[in-house]
Every structure is written in structure tokens, then in C-alpha cells.
Amino acid sequence: MTACALALSAPAAAQAPSAAHHHHPANPALADALASPIRDGDRARDRWRNPAETLTFFGIEPGMTVVDFMPSGGWFSRILIPYLGAQGTYIGLNPNVGESGGPGFFQSMRNTAENFPGQAAGWVPAGGARVIGANIGSVPEELNGTVDRVMIMREIHNIRRFGWFHDLAVTLRALLKDDGLVGVEQHRARPDAPASYVLGDNGYQREQDVIALFEAYGFELVARSNINANPADPANWERGVWSLPPSFAGAPEGSEERARRAAIGESDRMTLLFRKRP
């Protein structure tokens, strides 16, 4: 498949050039969600995360049922819950991380069905989509076949290093409608990056590997975009993607090196769209 290859069901935005960034979305509902005061603390990262262009590329519209895998601190929750509206459903889906021990990263993802709706209500107090939380392995059966879109935003490296991909892919195949799509944004390694660098611990993934993973589980690539590309990122940092903003690992505040990395910006990212094959 060529870089801009599209299937008929893929959004027309897939061919939009990466230079077409940072404009106000034509969709008034999306513009309203992005401008909401609940996002005042999030907006500084819009220039790197390009939420208007990304959600448009994924073809997400009000009234849809959308799965957000590992919603974490709710950056996209604060957009999607208002944007999907009262007719929509937002599902925060976390991996099955078990019940014993583990660091805070795992602890925060336990008991998602019980914890996530209240957490989301704190992020978006004014209503919007119905909010459901679930962990893989305990997803309500009635949700199967109801999902229009799935979003996996910069989490493929965690999915790979913790061995979650198989269970996730099988779960998504069950949840998705026949015409449902999976949108992926991920830190992008160079195509010739050594395998040892892209196993997960550095954050970066080779685009060809991500595509192959999904294809192995019965998904086909229908579109890709460079809307989240950053050619200035060499993608070979010793401390991985966390060397760049906002983490700046290994670059002390006030240092010349930190200023250099700030000028580079956030990571280079692939943006891919997959469809479930029968």
C-alpha cells in the first residue's frame, strides 16, 4: 500500500498534507469541544497532538460509540465526551492488569468499570456522551458489535512491552461494528532502527512493525497520514521518546540541551487507520 492509499470507507482527510495544521476545525461541534475551558490546561499541546486534524482523519463524529484505549489523564476524554454528545458513547478501555501489587501506572488502570465514570465526570462536569469504563477480560458482552471507532494514542510501545496486544486485538475485533475503524497514533522510529531499540522501552516503534502487528490479527491498513509528523525528531534518543518535551529526560532545566530539544518539539508520530477484515 502506498503512503496515501485509501479504501473507499476511509475519511477524505487522509490525503490532507501535513502542512495543513493548526486551523480551526470546520465542524462546529468539534471547534466548541476544543475551545472549552475544561481544556485550558491541555491546549498547549494541541500544536503537537493536532486533535482537530487527527479526529477528523479518524472520521469521528457526534453520536458515535468510541473506545479510547488507556485514556490515562483524560487529555482526549475532555474533547471526546463533549464532542460525541448526548447520543454518543465514550468507552475508556484499559488492559487487564490484575489485582496484585504493581506500580501506580498499573494501579491507576484497575477496576476501570467502577472508577472511570466518576473520574470522567470530574474532567467533564457539564455532561456529554454516556461514559463507560472497562478492562479487557471483563468488557460487557452487550457492547460487542456496537463500536464505530477505536483510538490507540501513543500506547503501542506499552502494549508491546507488557504483552497486551493479543488480548487487545481480539477484544477490539469483537467490539467493532463491521465497518468500524481503529485509529493509531504512535511515536515513530526510523525504518532502519534496530529491533533492540523498538521493543517498547524507548517509546518509538517502526511504522512497518505496527502495520504488520495489526495485519496479523485481521486488520487492514486503509489510510495513513503525516498530520502528526515531526521531521526534526531524529528518533534515536538514548533515553527514548522521553528525552523530548514535555519530559526532557537527561536535559536539566535551563540547560542549552533542554533549549535545543524544546526547539525540536514533541516526537515524530505515525497516524494510521485500520479496518477489521471479516
Side-chain angles (χ1 to χ4, degrees), residues 6 10-17 52-59 223-225 227:
L6 299 176
Q15 295 193 72
E53 293 83 358
T54 299
L55 296 178
T56 300
F57 173 71
F58 290 164
R224 68 174 98 188
S225 171
I227 51 180

Side-chain angles (χ1 to χ4, degrees), residues 26-268:
N27 183 327
L30 182 53
D32 288 347
L34 290 170
S36 171
I38 65 174
R39 297 195 66 248
D40 285 351
D42 298 336
R43 202 165 286 112
R45 300 188 74 179
D46 284 2
R47 64 174 296 202
W48 303 111
R49 293 188 170 185
N50 302 298
E53 293 83 358
T54 299
L55 296 178
T56 300
F57 173 71
F58 290 164
I60 294 176
E61 299 176 352
M64 283 186 169
T65 295
V66 175
V67 166
D68 185 4
F69 184 68
M70 294 176 65
S72 188
W75 199 92
F76 270 102
S77 311
R78 287 184 283 274
I79 301 170
L80 285 167
I81 294 171
Y83 175 50
L84 294 174
Q87 302 305 310
T89 299
Y90 176 80
I91 302 171
L93 179 65
N94 279 320
N96 181 1
V97 293
E99 295 299 328
S100 60
F105 173 65
F106 289 88
Q107 183 64 39
S108 67
M109 294 187 289
R110 295 192 176 101
N111 303 315
T112 305
E114 295 81 11
N115 297 335
F116 186 70
Q119 187 176 32
W123 294 331
V124 186
R130 177 174 67 134
V131 174
I132 298 172
N135 288 91
I136 290 175
S138 55
V139 178
E141 195 169 323
E142 60 266 24
L143 294 178
N144 287 344
T146 69
V147 171
D148 298 287
R149 297 289 186 273
V150 173
M151 294 172 47
I152 306 175
M153 310 303 285
R154 302 170 310 282
E155 294 292 356
I156 297 293
H157 58 287
N158 284 322
I159 292 166
R160 288 193 67 190
R161 65 175 170 166
F162 294 119
W164 294 330
F165 193 86
H166 174 84
D167 290 345
L168 172 62
V170 171
T171 298
L172 297 186
R173 287 189 59 82
L175 286 170
L176 282 164
K177 296 178 178 178
D178 289 342
D179 60 349
L181 301 172
V182 179
V184 174
E185 180 192 328
Q186 178 60 37
H187 313 293
R188 177 165 50 195
R190 296 176 301 181
D192 61 351
S196 59
Y197 190 75
V198 296
L199 297 178
D201 289 346
N202 292 305
Y204 290 100
Q205 298 286 290
R206 293 181 300 207
E207 190 164 329
Q208 67 266 32
D209 295 343
V210 175
I211 294 169
L213 274 170
F214 277 89
E215 287 180 339
Y217 279 85
F219 294 89
E220 62 180 338
L221 180 70
V222 294
R224 68 174 98 188
S225 171
N226 275 325
I227 51 180
N228 293 303
N230 181 3
D233 176 16
N236 61 355
W237 303 93
E238 183 179 350
R239 299 195 185 191
V241 71
W242 300 279
S243 302
L244 289 173
S247 299
F248 291 106
E253 190 167 356
S255 66
E256 290 185 11
E257 178 61 18
R258 191 179 185 98
R260 185 180 77 86
R261 296 184 195 180
I264 291 172
E266 296 193 19
S267 65
D268 179 47

